[in-house]
Amino acid sequence: GNASHGSYGAVGNGSGKRGRMNLTVTKASESDIPVIFEQAKSLIDAYEDRNAIDYDKVLAWVKRKIEIKLSEYQCALWNGEKCAFWRICDDGELDDLYVLPGFRNQGIGSEILRKIIEETEKTLWLYVFSRNVRAIAFYERHGFSCNRIVGPTRLIMERKG
């Protein structure tokens, strides 16, 4: 077997429409780069102030980051289908937790986040767009709180280890 595969197999919180979670975790691969990039781009398009940034430069930076850090990205599969990606940095930053559109609101992100919290002693932190109220509420439900505001469009949330 592949040592990088792990199964979460835990029961969801009851609100999950998929019943028993059957999540398998593996490493992201090169073919996942455009998928991860598309998730990042959709958040920038929805929540960033396009007038305040060099849009093309920001997108190029995001794509390059994903390419460079690809080996650090995890991929969750639900019944063999890729459903989510995330990366945890050495300093405890939760970077790019994306549940893909067809899999949202079914407890998958919660299951992944619970497992991350369980497996780390560190304080976890992340950037979130201040207008992304759904993401903010999601992280608050998992014990994160707003730590500080970073510029006009983003804030940092953290959860003590």
Side-chain angles (χ1 to χ4, degrees):
N2 183 338
S4 73
H5 280 67
S7 183
Y8 283 2
V11 176
N13 61 10
S15 68
K17 297 179 188 76
R18 293 186 189 270
R20 187 169 172 78
M21 285 284 155
N22 183 16
L23 286 178
T24 308
V25 177
T26 186
K27 294 271 187 208
S29 63
E30 200 123 334
S31 64
D32 298 321
I33 292 171
V35 179
I36 298 167
F37 175 75
E38 196 47 51
Q39 298 310 303
K41 181 181 179 296
S42 70
L43 288 176
I44 291 166
D45 290 348
Y47 300 114
E48 184 55 272
D49 177 359
R50 294 272 299 266
N51 299 317
I53 62 169
D54 182 335
Y55 183 71
D56 293 335
K57 195 174 182 178
V58 167
L59 292 186
W61 179 87
V62 168
K63 187 152 200 286
R64 189 85 190 105
K65 178 198 71 169
I66 296 165
E67 291 167 350
I68 292 168
K69 303 290 187 182
L70 183 65
S71 66
E72 300 172 17
Y73 279 84
Q74 302 290 308
C75 171
L77 297 102
W78 188 82
N79 289 348
E81 275 189 89
K82 290 179 178 182
C83 63
F85 296 92
W86 69 95
R87 168 177 170 253
I88 300 181
C89 306
D90 290 338
D91 65 358
E93 180 187 1
L94 175 55
D95 189 30
D96 294 352
L97 171 55
Y98 301 125
V99 176
L100 300 183
F103 295 92
R104 292 180 188 155
N105 303 311
Q106 302 181 52
I108 291 170
S110 292
E111 192 62 39
I112 291 166
L113 193 52
R114 273 195 293 273
K115 196 72 177 169
I116 291 168
I117 290 165
E118 209 175 274
E119 290 173 357
T120 187
E121 303 288 306
K122 288 181 185 156
T123 292
L124 291 168
W125 64 278
L126 54 95
Y127 288 98
V128 64
F129 285 109
S130 41
R131 292 192 303 128
N132 191 349
V133 292
R134 287 174 58 119
I136 292 167
F138 168 78
Y139 289 112
E140 284 176 339
R141 284 197 304 274
H142 291 278
F144 285 77
S145 54
C146 180
N147 171 306
R148 65 182 185 273
I149 293 167
V150 190
T153 60
R154 298 191 307 165
L155 46 93
I156 291 178
M157 296 184 78
E158 77 171 19
R159 184 187 197 280
K160 298 282 185 216

